[in-house]
Amino acid sequence: MDSEEEKGNLAQVRHVVLVLSGKGGVGKSTLTTELALALRQAGKKVGILDVDLCGPSIPRMLSVGRQEVHQCDAGWVPVYTDAHKSLALMSIGFLLENPDDAVIWRGPKKTALIGQFVSDVAWGELDYLLVDTPPGTSDEHLAVVESLRKHRVDGAILVTTPQAVSTGDVRREIAFCKKTGLRVLGIVENMSGFVCPHCSECTNIFSKGGGEELAKLTDSPFLGCVPLDPQLTSSLEEGRDFLQAFPDSATFGAINQIAHAVMTSIAERG
């Protein structure tokens, strides 16, 4: 068992979960944000480490885009989204002079920053730390896994959309997890149908079942489906808490179910 000193700023973080996707545009950062809010609603203290260096969208989703990052004796102080400090966030978006600046860095510089993010953020006591990663299986993913070696990672959630092209990309993520020793906590099928804002009926505008079928084929847990919801989109664009604003929506029920499935899976493993 690693000592508290070796774990450093992660010593009081009980569980670490990576959120992965095989390709961009599948709603991985959105799902990370909503999963964090669902865990917070369940009474957990949550942190989000946004290492999607070229697309740091989570600060905007949580309406904390222009915050300054401060230093303390232990390192960087994360940005808190509420007075109770129940949801903390660290993102490269806080370090850019202009939120529209492009991060044009070579691999070693990205790797060094990810190492800093993992070791130098003073998270304090957290129940869950969600790590939002870039799409694919790049240097950044290896940097995250290597940087977290001293602290046990509970596993990874893989995000896909129903189409075959997306589920095919997730197969590569599963192979990455196996090669790096990451446990697959489960697969989430995002954008699984469209919820009408008027009648709440859900229509499958892409296709359905690709994520569940992939889970069966790869012997991975299937965590559930999350539909496209116009209320979700507008709330994230405006930086509002979707789970608080729309607790009766189909999307809330889906995300809440996934959050509890993740907590149960982690608890059963011990």
Side-chain angles (χ1 to χ4, degrees), residues 232-260:
L232 167 61
T233 304
S234 62
S235 66
L236 290 176
E237 286 292 313
E238 296 163 16
R240 291 184 284 116
D241 183 339
F242 170 76
L243 295 184
Q244 191 174 32
F246 304 104
D248 297 325
S249 73
T251 304
F252 168 78
I255 293 170
N256 203 36
Q257 187 175 354
I258 289 166
H260 281 85

Side-chain angles (χ1 to χ4, degrees), residues 127-139:
D127 293 302
Y128 293 90
L129 177 63
L130 304 181
V131 184
D132 182 37
T133 63
T137 53
S138 59
D139 285 354

Side-chain angles (χ1 to χ4, degrees), residues 10-211:
L10 292 172
Q12 293 180 282
V13 177
R14 294 184 180 87
H15 303 292
V16 178
V17 175
L18 272 59
V19 184
L20 308 175
S21 69
K23 63 196 296 293
V26 300
K28 172 182 52 60
S29 295
T30 301
L31 189 78
T32 302
T33 302
E34 297 305 312
L35 185 58
L37 291 170
L39 289 168
R40 186 187 73 176
Q41 183 142 320
K44 307 300 181 183
K45 292 189 74 171
V46 187
I48 301 176
L49 178 56
D50 180 10
V51 295
D52 192 349
L53 302 184
C54 296
S57 54
I58 292 180
R60 180 181 177 184
M61 292 179 187
L62 291 173
S63 200
V64 291
R66 299 303 298 154
Q67 298 286 329
E68 290 186 8
V69 174
H70 301 284
Q71 294 268 353
C72 67
D73 291 342
W76 285 329
V77 179
V79 171
Y80 293 97
T81 64
D82 60 326
H84 300 292
K85 296 187 175 181
S86 60
L87 179 54
L89 172 64
M90 177 53 72
S91 169
I92 193 176
F94 299 138
L95 308 180
L96 301 175
E97 288 186 20
N98 186 322
D100 294 326
D101 286 347
V103 180
I104 308 173
W105 292 355
R106 294 188 186 277
K109 192 171 182 180
K110 290 181 180 180
T111 300
L113 179 64
I114 289 170
Q116 266 192 291
F117 271 177
V118 171
S119 64
D120 294 351
V121 179
W123 294 107
E125 189 176 343
L126 290 179
D127 293 302
Y128 293 90
L129 177 63
L130 304 181
V131 184
D132 182 37
T133 63
T137 53
S138 59
D139 285 354
E140 288 98 314
H141 296 82
L142 291 172
V144 169
V145 173
E146 287 299 318
S147 299
L148 287 168
R149 285 289 183 203
K150 293 177 183 176
H151 186 93
R152 188 183 75 171
V153 178
D154 289 88
I157 296 170
L158 310 183
V159 184
T160 185
T161 52
Q163 305 97 311
V165 66
S166 181
T167 57
D169 288 329
V170 171
R171 287 176 185 271
R172 287 184 279 276
E173 290 291 343
I174 293 172
F176 170 83
C177 289
K178 287 180 179 177
K179 286 181 180 179
T180 55
L182 268 178
R183 176 189 175 207
V184 176
L185 290 172
I187 295 172
V188 174
E189 182 177 294
N190 199 23
M191 305 183 191
S192 181
F194 172 79
V195 177
C196 175
H198 305 293
C199 68
S200 298
E201 184 177 337
C202 189
T203 304
N204 298 322
I205 55 174
F206 295 127
S207 56
K208 188 174 175 61

